Amino acid sequence: MPLFFCLYKARILLKFQFFKVNIKMKSYCPLCNNFESQKIGIGKTNSVSIKLIDKEYEVVKCKNCQLYYVTPEISFTENQWTELYNSEYFNNQSDWLIKKRAQELTKRLDKVSSFIPSSKKIKLLDIGTGEGNLLIEGLKRGWEVTGIDIVDNRLTLAKNPEINFIKAKFLEQDLPENTFDLIYLDSVLEHVLQPKEYLLKARRVLKNGGIIYIGVPNEDCLFNDIRKFIFYFIGRKRISSKIKPFDSPYHVVGFNNNSLNFLFLNTNLKIKYLKNVGRKFEFLSSSPLNKSFWISLFFLLPIEFLGKWIGRDLYYEIYLTKE
């Protein structure tokens, strides 16, 4: 075999091996499978997650659909995820905040009811049940309610025998198609590594004309821009100002207007109502003796009002339908 041919073959093999190594070091976008991304920073850790991390992870932004995600893909075991999402995740809520959350929930369900004929007995599926407040409210309304979550952190009232609860992963659970009138995904999609697959399955089990409610943070909100400036100012410019995969609330993907529209287009769901909202007065749940009360009043509150004015508030509420 000629020497030049052997050298050429060796060069091709080296290139192939280098390409394979690079593929393993990076992850495709979990929404559009694009490989090209822009580095945002590294994820901030806490005392729990730091013990679970065995490699360096980066927060990046997809150059195609603009989803924020973590690369390489997070490789925590099921037990490690459970350790992060233990019951302490829900503990720090004052009575004032609990009442405010209940009022917000009531308004959302009233909104859903305006889209669904009043003669129907609504069948509800709550994905990512948490404490089960939605199940409690749905049962009060006479609805047929089902909740699904990987851990059972339900309040006592949400353990009513009339409530169907499934302790399982949503994507692995066999559910009948065209079954539910309302599927509720509040603060869920930002916690899962397969947001498109979640929504595709939700669509399959939703009845025609039914409603999917989604609540997700807006990663391009004004507040995150301010955080980026603060990180830079205090010498922590490597820390990502976007999603927090390794610190509460453990968001592993993040959305903006473009990535949400891409998601809905590629899951064949139509937007019935979308609102960019904030939570401007939640600092009132803290005591005036607490330093965070005054920081929120004089610093965070003005930022939120400005974000609302320019259309870059903290959160998206979206009502989708299947036709």
Side-chain angles (χ1 to χ4, degrees):
M1 184 180 293
L3 179 61
F4 78 89
F5 182 77
C6 292
L7 291 173
Y8 177 77
K9 186 176 179 181
R11 182 183 176 190
I12 294 296
L13 287 172
L14 283 171
K15 275 189 171 183
F16 179 69
Q17 291 299 324
F18 179 75
F19 179 73
K20 285 205 304 184
V21 169
N22 274 315
I23 289 291
K24 290 179 180 179
M25 288 174 64
K26 292 190 176 182
S27 302
Y28 288 102
C29 170
L31 180 53
C32 71
N33 295 323
N34 183 57
F35 187 71
E36 297 296 321
S37 62
Q38 172 191 348
K39 182 178 176 180
I40 303 300
I42 61 173
K44 180 177 177 291
T45 59
N46 62 25
S47 60
V48 178
S49 64
I50 192 66
K51 295 181 291 185
L52 307 177
I53 295 172
D54 60 358
K55 60 176 69 72
E56 182 168 295
Y57 293 99
E58 293 180 347
V59 175
V60 298
K61 180 181 181 180
C62 175
K63 290 186 176 181
N64 180 44
C65 70
Q66 297 191 25
L67 182 80
Y68 296 95
Y69 63 100
V70 179
T71 183
E73 183 177 303
I74 300 172
S75 57
F76 289 170
T77 66
E78 186 173 339
N79 287 338
Q80 288 173 325
W81 283 118
T82 302
E83 187 176 349
L84 288 179
Y85 291 104
N86 60 24
S87 59
E88 294 177 3
Y89 186 81
F90 301 99
N91 275 351
N92 299 319
Q93 297 187 45
S94 67
D95 292 339
W96 184 93
L97 188 57
I98 291 171
K99 183 177 180 180
K100 186 174 184 294
R101 290 279 192 266
Q103 291 171 344
E104 292 171 348
L105 180 60
T106 297
K107 289 180 181 178
R108 290 173 192 165
L109 298 189
D110 289 344
K111 187 79 174 176
V112 168
S113 297
S114 71
F115 295 132
I116 299 175
S118 58
S119 58
K120 294 186 68 173
K121 181 175 182 178
I122 293 175
K123 295 186 72 172
L124 160 70
L125 175 63
D126 182 17
I127 302 172
T129 297
E131 293 180 307
N133 290 303
L134 174 65
L135 302 178
I136 297 168
E137 180 61 27
L139 192 63
K140 288 179 182 177
R141 294 175 180 236
W143 296 356
E144 186 178 330
V145 297
T146 299
I148 183 168
D149 208 330
I150 59 172
V151 292
D152 189 356
N153 283 319
R154 289 177 296 160
L155 301 170
T156 302
L157 285 176
K159 295 183 178 180
N160 187 309
E162 293 184 57
I163 291 174
N164 179 33
F165 178 74
I166 305 167
K167 185 179 178 181
K169 295 179 180 179
F170 173 63
L171 290 183
E172 296 177 1
Q173 184 66 26
D174 186 22
L175 296 168
E177 295 186 8
N178 303 308
T179 299
F180 298 99
D181 302 288
L182 167 62
I183 297 177
Y184 196 84
L185 288 145
D186 184 28
S187 302
V188 171
L189 290 183
E190 66 269 29
H191 292 276
V192 300
L193 298 171
Q194 301 160 295
K196 181 180 176 182
E197 286 71 18
Y198 261 69
L199 213 47
L200 283 171
K201 181 166 184 176
R203 188 186 187 280
R204 285 198 297 273
V205 301
L206 183 71
K207 293 179 182 177
N208 287 335
I211 297 294
I212 296 177
Y213 170 84
I214 292 175
V216 291
N218 173 21
E219 292 298 334
D220 283 353
C221 64
L222 179 63
F223 178 73
N224 279 348
D225 286 351
I226 302 298
R227 286 182 69 216
K228 181 178 180 180
F229 173 78
I230 293 173
F231 286 156
Y232 187 88
F233 182 76
I234 64 175
R236 304 189 69 189
K237 62 181 180 180
R238 290 193 68 211
I239 301 295
S240 170
S241 62
K242 302 296 182 179
I243 59 176
K244 296 197 294 182
F246 307 117
D247 192 22
S248 183
Y250 306 113
H251 295 171
V252 296
V253 297
F255 299 91
N256 57 20
N257 189 59
N258 289 320
S259 54
L260 283 173
N261 282 319
F262 183 95
L263 175 61
F264 303 150
L265 179 66
N266 285 272
T267 51
N268 197 23
L269 289 163
K270 181 181 178 182
I271 298 174
K272 286 190 76 76
Y273 182 82
L274 182 149
K275 189 176 182 181
N276 186 209
V277 299
R279 290 174 172 169
K280 298 173 181 57
F281 297 102
E282 290 192 356
F283 70 91
L284 294 175
S285 65
S286 301
S287 167
L289 299 177
N290 193 319
K291 182 172 66 175
S292 64
F293 178 93
W294 299 103
I295 293 174
S296 298
L297 177 62
F298 292 111
F299 178 65
L300 300 182
L301 186 61
I303 293 172
E304 282 209 53
F305 272 113
L306 180 58
K308 178 69 174 178
W309 184 62
I310 63 176
R312 295 179 59 197
D313 220 333
L314 291 173
Y315 208 74
Y316 283 112
E317 290 190 347
I318 312 116
Y319 299 78
L320 304 165
T321 190
K322 166 185 170 181
E323 296 181 340

